[in-house]
Amino acid sequence: MSKIRILPEQLANRIAAGEVVERPASVVKELLENSLDAGASRVEIEIEGSGTRLIRVIDNGEGMDEDDMLLCLERHGTSKIATDQDLAAISSLGFRGEAIPSIGSVSRMTITSRLQDAPLGTRVVLDYGKVIKVHEIGCSRGTIFEIRNLFGNTPARRKFLRTSRTELAHIEEVVKSYALAAPAIAFILRVDEREVLHFEASQSLPDRLAAILHYQGSFMEVGKADKNDYHAAAGRSSSIPGASGTGPSMACVHGWLLPPDAIVAGSAGIRLLVNGRAVRDRMIVHAVAEGLRNFLMKGRNPAGLIHLRLPPEDVDVNVHPTKQEIRLRDSQAIHQMISQAVEQAMQGHQKKLQSTLFRAAPLQDHRPQPEPASQPVSWQDKPPTTSLLFPSAPKPFYPESPAPAAAAPSLQTAEPVAASFSPTPQPAPTTQQTLPVAKAPGHGLKIIGQYDNLYIFCQSENGDLLVVDQHAAHERLLFEDLKRQFMQGHIASQTLLFPATVELSIAETECVEHHGAEIRQMGFTIREFGGNSFIISAVPAMAGQCNPGELFVDILARFGNADEKKGKGSILDDILASMACKAAVKAGDRLHALEIDALLTRMARADLFSHCPHGRPVLKHFTATEVKKWFHRT
């Protein structure tokens, strides 16, 4: 007698349900996808008892007649695909025809549907997979699915469900994801007759995302949406590429991300959509994180929405029973496209910040006029002979007696972006003197002063308060300079008057041999001195004030401890960030007005400035209204 036998259809459906229907949220997902495929413009979801007592999904889609309603209860009964070519280019959310029979096998299900032009509808009642009743009924156009007593015949599955709050949270996430995937469609979620979510069709996609994330600030827009993009779709037929017979001919990405330092309630993550389908994909998340590299603090993840649109034939959605995981044909090219789009979005965000904070024209070769002496700031008696920010700059000349502003010499720095600033010193009574603060055309800010030898307080032209972390700001500027020089082939170096000798371990010596080219490109000049000893005769010019041996050993340690999962670019960025951190002005360093002015000018003209390479914010902006609220003056 044969050991192999064919399982009964009822048992096969229950086994399939174990893959497709993991929890009540899985049922909501499958039914929502069917509603969107049917071209619905409004979907209502009603939940009772965390979804095990009742799940009701109501849509105004195209509906079904009696024959289609009975066929949809059969395994692999589908209207989405018919040939091998259709399977190679899936353009709909559902296609396998497993969801409805699988759900019906573990619940008491009622389906009520009516075609758009039919006078009456049809109702089908099932009891754990068995058809109990089929009859005509008067109903509204569209389809209503009612799922009662979910997992009633599989108590083991129900036993493994989480708490009611957890299951409801999963249902909310499903509704939110598809509300973002189809913003032209209205979604309403009710739990125990209480309205939990309500998204109107007139609501814009950024507004929906802001409501979901409980975020009130501005987003960074990634990429650009074309006229056929998903967010302009009026329904499912145009919201998914290929649903009307055609799909996108090329890949594109569009989305909205929170700024790196944005604070939102709860744990906001990133939501991913591929051709209108909510998915989970580590590669896409990694690409977004790469685009925000050197802007996200360690332990923080990107948040927002990324929608990837690809030709359907380049996406394999048939790799997971619940269709939540996908496989992309050219994942490396897509990764690069997403990361570059996010980088460009961050650059655009920086420009918007600059236009908001720094309201002056680009610095030209002219000298600013001093502010009236009615707003003095107390500084050191004389500026330092060597600038902490630009140690390689020539020493400026400061006259002993007051001179007209037009005749005063300007501060020249090693960088062409430094501000020309030449205040007229006042006679010093004791150890300090009062200098008028000039509003340089390079940044347009009024310098209030330095607090705790770390934070620079400024006032913008519209009266807002700006607080700058001097170390983080200088660190970012140095990092960008180092990175630019490295990409150009060589970081400017400075020859040491007295070469330094370092004794390395065997591992460090091997690291020098293995990464010698990168080390030379970073501005170091080294040569062997016998055994494991090396002589350092030149170091990066920006790090001229650092201990050469300590800086060199630190770089070798970072090369040796580099995570293999990181790309070469990430490793080099970490090293350059470390160099910039060591070379930047430190907390506790007292800066002169000229140095602060030069730092702000460079920030106003830099491409990237808002965060240090480790992701810490460089500045904090307080509007005049916020300050007044602190003191209840509004």
Side-chain angles (χ1 to χ4, degrees):
M1 184 176 177
S2 175
K3 297 179 181 179
I4 306 298
R5 55 183 172 272
I6 304 299
L7 291 176
E9 183 178 358
Q10 184 81 3
L11 182 57
N13 284 338
R14 290 177 62 181
I15 294 174
E19 298 177 340
V20 177
V21 188
E22 179 185 1
R23 58 191 345 141
S26 306
V27 176
V28 175
K29 174 183 178 296
E30 297 292 345
L31 298 181
L32 272 183
E33 290 177 348
N34 285 339
S35 297
L36 297 179
D37 283 338
S41 62
R42 181 182 180 88
V43 183
E44 299 181 34
I45 306 99
E46 299 177 0
I47 305 296
E48 293 181 8
S50 73
T52 55
R53 187 188 310 158
L54 171 66
I55 297 175
R56 182 184 290 119
V57 177
I58 307 169
D59 69 59
N60 62 350
E62 61 185 4
M64 296 181 288
D65 59 18
E66 180 177 333
D67 292 339
D68 284 341
M69 292 178 67
L70 294 176
L71 285 173
C72 79
L73 301 176
E74 302 292 334
R75 289 197 68 194
H76 309 302
T78 178
S79 61
K80 315 297 175 58
I81 61 173
T83 64
D84 292 343
Q85 289 75 16
D86 295 334
L87 185 60
I90 299 296
S91 58
S92 58
L93 294 176
F95 56 91
R96 285 196 292 251
E98 289 182 302
I100 294 178
S102 298
I103 296 170
S105 67
V106 292
S107 67
R108 291 189 170 96
M109 182 165 66
T110 301
I111 309 174
T112 305
S113 187
R114 175 188 166 192
L115 293 174
Q116 296 293 322
D117 55 353
L120 293 174
T122 304
R123 172 170 289 177
V124 178
V125 180
L126 292 87
D127 186 15
Y128 299 111
K130 294 181 180 180
V131 177
I132 303 299
K133 185 185 299 184
V134 180
H135 61 91
E136 286 188 333
I137 189 173
C139 60
S140 59
R141 294 179 178 91
T143 304
I144 302 174
F145 275 90
E146 291 186 1
I147 312 300
R148 298 181 182 273
N149 200 20
L150 183 64
F151 302 131
N153 61 339
T154 54
R157 175 57 62 92
R158 177 174 285 193
K159 182 177 63 176
F160 282 95
L161 293 179
R162 303 296 181 181
T163 63
S164 177
R165 179 176 296 181
T166 300
E167 298 301 332
L168 290 175
H170 283 286
I171 293 174
E172 280 191 39
E173 282 301 307
V174 170
V175 177
K176 289 175 180 178
S177 295
Y178 280 102
L180 294 174
I185 298 175
F187 290 86
I188 300 174
L189 172 63
R190 300 185 184 92
V191 177
D192 296 329
E193 299 182 354
R194 179 176 58 90
E195 189 171 277
V196 176
L197 298 175
H198 192 149
F199 301 106
E200 287 293 346
S202 59
Q203 195 175 24
S204 67
L205 179 57
D207 288 343
R208 280 196 179 185
L209 183 60
I212 289 172
L213 298 179
H214 304 287
Y215 177 63
Q216 298 180 350
S218 59
F219 291 98
M220 301 188 305
E221 185 175 6
V222 179
K224 293 294 181 181
D226 58 30
K227 62 182 180 180
N228 296 320
D229 204 2
Y230 65 97
H231 76 289
R236 181 62 196 155
S237 59
S238 59
S239 64
I240 289 295
S244 59
T246 60
S249 59
M250 59 183 298
C252 61
V253 61
H254 182 244
W256 307 85
L257 294 178
L258 271 67
D261 54 344
I263 300 176
V264 294
S267 56
I270 187 166
R271 288 170 168 81
L272 306 178
L273 305 172
V274 176
N275 290 351
R277 185 189 304 277
V279 299
R280 297 191 297 258
D281 192 277
R282 293 182 179 179
M283 184 276 293
I284 299 178
V285 175
H286 183 269
V288 176
E290 276 293 293
L292 293 175
R293 190 173 64 190
N294 304 126
F295 285 94
L296 282 175
M297 291 184 64
K298 186 176 181 181
R300 296 196 65 175
N301 297 316
L305 170 70
I306 290 294
H307 195 150
L308 184 63
R309 288 170 56 84
L310 300 170
E313 59 270 16
D314 289 348
V315 185
D316 185 2
V317 299
N318 194 26
V319 297
H320 192 272
T322 60
K323 304 183 292 293
Q324 290 183 333
E325 297 179 9
I326 59 173
R327 185 178 293 119
L328 304 176
R329 176 174 293 180
D330 193 352
S331 58
Q332 185 174 359
I334 293 173
H335 182 283
Q336 184 177 3
M337 178 190 70
I338 296 173
S339 61
Q340 288 179 352
V342 174
E343 286 180 6
Q344 293 172 0
M346 174 53 71
Q347 292 173 359
H349 177 65
Q350 301 286 293
K351 295 303 180 185
K352 288 182 180 179
L353 279 179
Q354 284 178 330
S355 64
T356 301
L357 303 176
F358 308 105
R359 299 182 182 274
L363 182 64
Q364 304 294 333
D365 188 15
H366 64 279
R367 296 177 174 84
Q369 296 298 323
E371 288 283 327
S374 58
Q375 296 183 2
V377 176
S378 182
W379 302 101
Q380 290 175 320
D381 184 18
K382 286 187 178 181
T385 56
T386 301
S387 171
L388 291 170
L389 294 174
F390 313 106
S392 60
K395 301 176 184 178
F397 170 75
Y398 293 91
E400 294 297 331
S401 59
S410 61
L411 174 65
Q412 302 295 328
T413 68
E415 294 293 329
V417 296
S420 296
F421 180 76
S422 185
T424 302
Q426 302 293 329
T430 53
T431 60
Q432 287 190 343
Q433 67 178 5
T434 299
L435 294 181
V437 178
K439 185 160 55 178
H443 54 75
L445 298 174
K446 184 179 296 182
I447 303 173
I448 299 173
Q450 186 184 22
Y451 170 71
D452 200 24
N453 287 346
L454 172 59
Y455 302 105
I456 301 169
F457 280 65
C458 309
Q459 182 180 351
S460 66
E461 290 184 348
N462 58 4
D464 293 349
L465 177 65
L466 187 66
V467 184
V468 179
D469 184 325
Q470 65 186 34
H471 171 74
H474 194 210
E475 182 182 359
R476 184 78 209 190
L477 297 173
L478 291 182
F479 171 75
E480 292 300 324
D481 287 343
L482 289 170
K483 191 174 180 179
R484 181 175 60 255
Q485 293 179 25
F486 186 87
M487 297 301 294
Q488 291 174 351
H490 188 267
I491 293 176
S493 61
Q494 173 180 323
T495 303
L496 296 177
L497 183 61
F498 300 102
T501 303
V502 292
E503 188 75 20
L504 304 180
S505 65
I506 296 177
E508 290 171 337
T509 303
E510 292 178 352
C511 187
V512 172
E513 296 175 355
H514 188 264
H515 298 284
E518 290 93 339
I519 292 173
R520 288 189 294 272
Q521 195 173 346
M522 289 178 183
F524 287 92
T525 300
I526 58 174
R527 66 177 186 270
E528 296 185 25
F529 192 58
N532 292 332
S533 299
F534 288 81
I535 293 178
I536 306 173
S537 56
V539 296
M542 292 182 184
Q545 303 298 312
C546 302
N547 184 293
E550 292 181 0
L551 181 63
F552 183 65
V553 171
D554 178 72
I555 290 174
L556 295 181
R558 292 182 180 274
F559 269 124
N561 298 330
D563 189 351
E564 296 180 356
K565 296 181 181 179
K566 287 186 176 181
K568 185 176 181 180
S570 298
I571 297 172
L572 292 174
D573 277 0
D574 290 345
I575 294 173
L576 296 180
S578 175
M579 293 171 59
C581 183
K582 293 181 181 298
V585 62
K586 302 295 186 293
D589 288 340
R590 183 161 178 79
L591 302 183
H592 189 266
L594 302 179
E595 296 173 315
I596 294 177
D597 182 77
L599 178 64
L600 295 176
T601 300
R602 292 193 63 188
M603 289 175 60
R605 305 185 65 185
D607 291 333
L608 303 172
F609 72 96
S610 66
H611 293 73
C612 82
H614 303 100
R616 290 193 300 108
V618 162
L619 50 87
K620 181 66 177 176
H621 177 222
F622 302 96
T623 65
T625 303
E626 288 176 325
V627 176
K628 290 179 180 179
K629 284 183 178 179
W630 297 346
F631 300 97
H632 302 283
R633 289 186 173 271
T634 56

